[in-house]
């Protein structure tokens, strides 16, 4: 769908002053100003590797209570079970717990529910089986905040539960021994947007501060925290920025044999970025929970054997290939179900033949394609729809689903991503109400929603010096998006469609060198209603692409229009 480009308004005087004070280009100064870094002091702190400090973990509600209870379990050789979600965040958090507490000699086990057979979060049959196996303490990762009944069952069976979760709190807390959730009302922790992998790290950090004794330093697991933080698309601000920066260094070094094997399997041999995690590593780890079992991902992240790591990496690659096939088929079918010329304010689709493991990815693709909030449901033979929702920036999914709660069997998640369960008969009413909420939000936010562009540039200014400056703004992700630029009146030198409908262009400004650009899944210019004989405007992210041993600048196209 055509997007409205919103070019950030930058004060030219501030731009000039910041560029001179930091000895950077005006383009980089514009990017910094667009992120609210309006003084040299703020900008230097943002650019500095040591510009963020780690907060006191004991400010998280129930932290001391939780680590005391875990310590009693470790000391008594009680059977502990770490129960995680089947996505990268849940698998990484579970892996943090396992590696840290195994190093203390604790008697630990894991449980990851099966996505298709059990569904998200704690479930009563699993709780009862774990108690029968002798588990005395259950520690959740990325689930548990809304599991009031299941936590109550565990407590009634004599099993204590410590919840570590970052999903939105919806009223009363579950009756757990401790609930570690930064979204709790009255929480004093200064940063609320930690993922569950980061929360598990904070538990290990707090345990180490109070009890010491671990041979494994908590900081050595920041590679796992980085994986979780990037994959769960939480804001890369405050503490998360530190975690990802330090964690990417560990991922690049490949000290953990599972991550090293996965990098080798997908051909990653350079320093890793958030893009490496988001587009190379995380999808393959996620494929375990989508099409097989999340315990495969935990095994990869915790194994100490190179041979096992290589076999698991090969298995995940095979699963990801199958995931891509399923996603492609479902995406094409879903796009065809939407009236492209006049899509609704929000997209709600479901089908009985769709695979539950890829509904979240397809929802994200629909958001990209139509620039609308999207809900995709896999409907069972019993008429129960389970699915995922993804949002456009600014539209709070959790709040919208809460408004529709009378039509839902259950829901949970975040403002940008959520899961839900609904009866098939209620889908039409839900579609209407959810769409109305999106329509009202869009009307209220008219003029502020679209593709945000940091600044307009001439391609003669896009050079390796600029790329070096922009690299200092890393890591990029939610809350710190990749710098996005617009270039207008470009001549098209070459155009073709490659791979899975990717648009490949060669463009130039009048005095610039030619630049290659790639628009993923954009198809042909003709399909976009554009012509290669007329000048184009491009919105793009510049990135370095290695070819024949040399780095060259490529334009990753986000949108394009006729000049």
């Amino acid at each position: 769908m055509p997007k409205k480009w919103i070019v950030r308004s930058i004060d030219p005087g501030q731009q000039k002053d910041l560029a001179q004070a930091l000895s950077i280009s005006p383009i980089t100064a514009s990017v910094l100003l667009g992120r609210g870094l309006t003084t040299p002091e703020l900008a230097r702190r943002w650019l500095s590797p040591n510009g963020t400090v780690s907060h006191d973990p004991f400010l998280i509600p129930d932290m001391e209570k939780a680590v005391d209870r875990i310590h009693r379990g470790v000391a008594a050789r009680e059977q502990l079970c770490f129960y995680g979600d089947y996505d990268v965040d849940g698998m990484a958090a579970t892996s943090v717990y396992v590696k840290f507490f195994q190093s203390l000699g604790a008697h630990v086990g894991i449980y990851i529910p099966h996505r298709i057979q059990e569904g998200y979060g704690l479930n009563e049959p699993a709780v009862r089986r774990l108690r029968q196996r002798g588990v005395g303490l259950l520690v959740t990762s990325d689930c548990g905040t809304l599991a009031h009944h299941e936590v109550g069952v565990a407590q009634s069976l004599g099993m204590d539960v410590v919840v570590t979760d970052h999903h939105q709190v919806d009223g009363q807390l579950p009756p757990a021994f401790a609930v570690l959730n930064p979204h709790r009302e009255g929480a004093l922790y200064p940063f609320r947007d930690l993922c569950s992998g980061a929360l598990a790290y904070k538990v290990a950090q707090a345990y180490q501060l109070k009890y010491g004794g671990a041979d494994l330093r908590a900081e050595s697991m920041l590679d796992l925290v980085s994986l979780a933080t990037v994959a769960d698309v939480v804001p890369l601000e405050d503490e998360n920025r530190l975690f990802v920066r330090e964690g990417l260094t560990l991922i690049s070094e490949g000290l953990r044999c599972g991550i090293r094997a996965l990098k080798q399997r997908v051909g990653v041999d350079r320093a890793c970025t958030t893009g490496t995690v988001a587009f190379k590593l995380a999808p393959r780890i996620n494929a375990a929970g989508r099409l097989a079992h999340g315990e495969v991902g935990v095994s990869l992240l915790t194994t100490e054997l190179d041979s096992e790591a290589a076999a698991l990496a090969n298995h995940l690659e095979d699963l990801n290939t199958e995931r891509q096939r399923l996603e492609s088929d479902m995406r094409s079918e879903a796009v065809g179900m939407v009236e492209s010329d006049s899509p609704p304010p929000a997209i709600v689709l479901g089908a009985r033949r769709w695979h539950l493991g890829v509904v979240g990815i397809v929802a994200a693709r629909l958001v990209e394609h139509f620039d609308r909030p999207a809900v995709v449901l896999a409907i069972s033979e019993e008429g129960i729809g389970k699915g995922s929702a993804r949002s456009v920036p600014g539209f709070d999914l959790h709040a919208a689903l809460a408004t529709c709660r009378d039509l839902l069997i259950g829901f949970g998640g975040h403002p940008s991503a959520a899961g839900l369960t609904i009866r098939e008969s209620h889908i039409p009413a839900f579609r209407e109400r959810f769409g109305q909420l999106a329509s009202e939000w869009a009307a209220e936010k008219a003029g502020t929603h679209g593709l945000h562009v940091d600044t307009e540039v001439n391609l003669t200014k896009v050079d390796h010096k600029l790329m070096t400056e922009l690299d200092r703004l890393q890591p990029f992700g939610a809350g710190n998006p990749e710098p996005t630029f617009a270039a207008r009146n470009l001549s098209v030198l070459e155009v073709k469609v490659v791979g899975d409908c990717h648009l490949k262009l060669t463009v130039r400004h009048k005095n610039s060198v030619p630049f290659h650009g790639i628009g993923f899944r954009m198809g042909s210019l003709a399909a976009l209603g554009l012509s290669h004989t007329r000048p184009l405007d491009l919105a793009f992210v510049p990135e370095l692409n290695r070819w024949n041993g040399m780095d060259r600048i490529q334009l990753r196209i986000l949108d394009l229009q006729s000049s």
Side-chain angles (χ1 to χ4, degrees):
M1 297 295 295
K3 296 182 177 67
K4 177 180 179 180
W5 296 5
I6 303 171
V7 182
R8 300 186 191 278
S9 178
I10 299 297
D11 183 283
Q14 282 188 315
Q15 180 199 51
K16 181 179 178 181
D17 292 345
L18 194 61
Q20 289 179 344
L22 299 180
S23 299
I24 57 177
S25 72
I27 295 174
T28 305
S30 294
V31 175
L32 290 167
L33 289 169
R35 282 149 177 71
L37 305 167
T38 56
T39 67
E41 292 74 22
L42 287 172
R44 286 193 185 96
R45 195 178 310 142
W46 184 267
L47 296 171
S48 169
N50 301 314
T52 307
V53 296
S54 184
H55 302 305
D56 180 359
F58 289 102
L59 293 176
I60 296 174
D62 285 354
M63 178 62 81
E64 189 153 22
K65 187 178 181 183
V67 296
D68 288 347
R69 176 63 183 87
I70 296 172
H71 179 66
R72 291 201 301 273
V74 172
R77 293 284 295 164
E78 185 178 14
Q79 188 169 338
L80 314 181
C81 180
F82 297 105
Y83 189 117
D85 189 20
Y86 39 61
D87 67 359
V88 172
D89 189 22
M91 288 186 271
T94 302
S95 300
V96 168
Y97 278 133
V98 167
K99 297 301 289 183
F100 182 77
F101 288 104
Q102 270 185 344
S103 75
L104 292 167
H107 185 28
V108 305
I110 69 165
Y111 193 93
I112 308 290
H114 191 281
R115 181 188 291 262
I116 308 299
Q117 298 171 8
E118 297 175 90
Y120 168 77
L122 287 172
N123 66 83
E124 183 175 341
V127 168
R128 293 187 178 278
R129 285 197 301 273
L130 290 171
R131 185 58 182 146
Q132 289 173 356
R133 295 173 192 170
V135 172
L137 175 61
L138 186 68
V139 181
T140 76
S141 296
D142 207 28
C143 60
T145 295
L146 302 180
H148 298 82
H149 173 73
E150 292 80 6
V151 171
V153 169
Q155 299 286 88
S156 71
L157 295 173
M159 180 166 57
D160 284 337
V161 179
V162 171
V163 170
T164 55
D165 191 12
H166 70 130
H167 288 88
Q168 299 290 315
V169 177
D170 191 17
Q172 189 175 0
L173 295 174
F177 185 88
V179 179
L180 281 67
N181 188 321
H183 293 287
R184 283 181 57 172
E185 186 176 352
L188 298 178
Y189 199 74
F191 182 60
R192 293 196 168 199
D193 288 318
L194 299 176
C195 69
S196 293
L199 281 171
Y201 168 76
K202 299 304 288 191
V203 172
Q205 187 183 52
Y207 191 100
Q208 206 162 44
L209 286 170
K210 184 163 186 179
Y211 293 108
D215 295 331
L216 183 71
R217 287 181 55 79
E219 291 78 9
S220 69
M221 295 183 293
L222 285 175
D223 54 347
L224 300 175
V225 178
S226 180
L227 276 173
T229 301
V230 173
D232 225 49
V233 202
V234 291
L236 295 190
E237 300 168 347
D238 200 276
E239 218 171 5
N240 286 342
R241 190 167 162 79
L242 172 68
F243 294 156
V244 173
R245 184 190 290 127
E246 298 297 321
L248 286 175
T249 299
L250 297 177
I251 292 173
S252 297
E253 293 172 352
L255 300 181
R256 193 174 306 277
C257 71
I259 293 178
R260 184 171 65 248
L262 191 58
K263 286 171 56 184
Q264 291 171 348
R265 182 63 183 82
V266 300
V268 174
D269 58 0
R270 304 185 64 197
C272 295
T273 66
T274 52
T276 310
V277 173
F279 301 114
K280 295 286 188 179
L281 306 182
R284 286 160 173 84
I285 299 171
N286 252 335
R290 294 186 188 282
L291 300 186
H293 202 291
E295 290 183 3
V296 176
V298 176
S299 295
L300 178 87
L301 298 176
T302 57
T303 183
E304 300 287 346
L305 300 174
D306 286 335
S307 57
E308 182 182 20
L312 289 167
N314 287 334
H315 182 38
L316 289 175
E317 179 67 13
D318 292 341
L319 291 173
N320 191 58
T321 299
E322 174 64 9
R323 186 274 303 171
Q324 290 172 323
R325 185 192 65 77
L326 288 170
E327 176 203 333
S328 179
D329 292 345
M330 276 181 58
R331 183 181 75 235
S332 297
E333 186 177 352
V335 169
M337 293 167 68
V338 180
E339 188 67 42
S340 296
D341 293 336
S342 56
I347 296 165
V348 178
L349 302 175
R352 294 203 171 203
R353 58 193 173 280
W354 284 354
H355 195 291
L356 182 60
V358 294
V359 290
I361 308 174
V362 174
R365 297 290 181 252
L366 292 175
V367 172
E368 292 174 5
H369 190 87
F370 293 106
D371 199 27
R372 304 285 196 276
V375 178
V376 179
L377 301 159
I379 303 171
S380 71
E381 293 302 319
E382 295 73 32
I384 301 298
K386 294 183 178 181
S388 293
R390 297 293 184 268
S391 187
V392 294
F395 182 71
D396 190 330
L397 279 178
H398 188 271
L401 293 176
T403 304
C404 303
R405 69 171 72 244
D406 59 301
L407 298 172
L408 305 175
I409 296 173
F411 73 96
H414 320 290
S416 60
L420 67 156
T421 305
I422 185 172
R423 297 188 187 282
E424 187 176 17
S425 58
H426 289 169
I427 292 175
F430 169 73
R431 180 183 291 114
E432 181 176 356
R433 191 186 302 175
F434 188 75
Q436 182 62 31
L437 291 169
S439 179
E440 292 170 358
W441 171 83
E444 181 182 338
K445 297 295 182 181
T448 64
H449 176 56
L451 177 61
H452 287 268
V453 175
D454 285 286
T455 190
E456 293 186 14
V457 299
N458 188 295
L459 290 185
T460 58
K461 303 298 184 182
V462 180
D463 54 20
H464 283 273
K465 179 178 181 297
L466 175 65
M467 298 301 292
T468 299
E469 291 180 359
L470 296 178
D471 188 60
R472 295 178 62 196
L473 277 66
Q474 297 248 28
F476 299 128
N480 182 36
E482 294 176 298
T484 299
F485 304 124
R488 302 194 184 274
N489 293 301
L490 299 177
S491 300
V492 180
L493 305 181
E494 186 180 4
V495 57
K496 56 184 175 181
V497 177
V498 299
D500 185 18
C501 290
H502 307 317
L503 174 63
K504 188 171 184 179
L505 296 177
T506 303
V507 296
R508 72 185 304 171
H509 263 135
K510 183 176 180 181
N511 298 318
S512 78
V513 299
F515 281 82
H516 297 296
I518 184 77
F520 293 108
R521 292 183 295 275
M522 284 188 174
S524 68
L525 279 182
L528 296 169
L530 302 171
S531 170
H532 70 279
T533 63
R534 295 175 58 85
L536 294 179
D537 296 345
L538 258 61
F540 65 92
V541 173
E543 56 188 12
L544 290 177
N545 184 37
R546 173 149 291 209
W547 179 257
N548 287 337
M550 296 183 63
D551 286 330
R552 65 179 182 181
I553 301 172
Q554 175 178 273
L555 313 181
R556 176 154 41 85
I557 304 169
L558 304 181
D559 196 24
L560 67 168
Q561 302 171 357
S562 182
S563 295

